[in-house]
Amino acid sequence: MEILAETLDVIGKIMIAYAAIMVHYRFRKEHKIDEQVFHSMRREQIGGIVGVVLIVAGYVLRLLL
């Protein structure tokens, strides 16, 4: 039962992170923005991707231990 709970939790977190990353991606592609905003959004996008990787890594570690 714990594995199911952890699985659902991770799936939910990944879905939220993916949505946030895609919003930034679409905004970056569709709107003209200045260079400062572009760099800020890029940093947020990279941080979101790193966050997803860390969530998955933590999940795998919990399964192995």
Side-chain angles (χ1 to χ4, degrees), residues 51-65:
V52 170
V53 170
L54 292 174
I55 290 168
V56 171
Y59 176 68
V60 170
L61 286 175
R62 281 192 298 267
L63 288 178
L64 294 176
L65 297 176

Side-chain angles (χ1 to χ4, degrees), residues 9-63:
D9 183 53
V10 169
I11 290 171
K13 289 176 183 175
I14 290 171
M15 289 174 67
I16 291 168
Y18 179 77
I21 291 166
M22 291 311 296
V23 165
H24 281 92
Y25 178 77
R26 272 194 302 267
F27 184 82
R28 209 168 34 97
K29 288 289 186 186
E30 296 176 8
H31 291 86
K32 294 184 183 200
I33 53 177
D34 65 8
E35 201 63 29
Q36 184 178 8
V37 174
F38 176 77
H39 286 301
S40 176
M41 288 178 64
R42 184 69 180 148
R43 279 192 309 269
E44 289 174 5
Q45 190 176 30
I46 290 169
I49 292 168
V50 170
V52 170
V53 170
L54 292 174
I55 290 168
V56 171
Y59 176 68
V60 170
L61 286 175
R62 281 192 298 267
L63 288 178

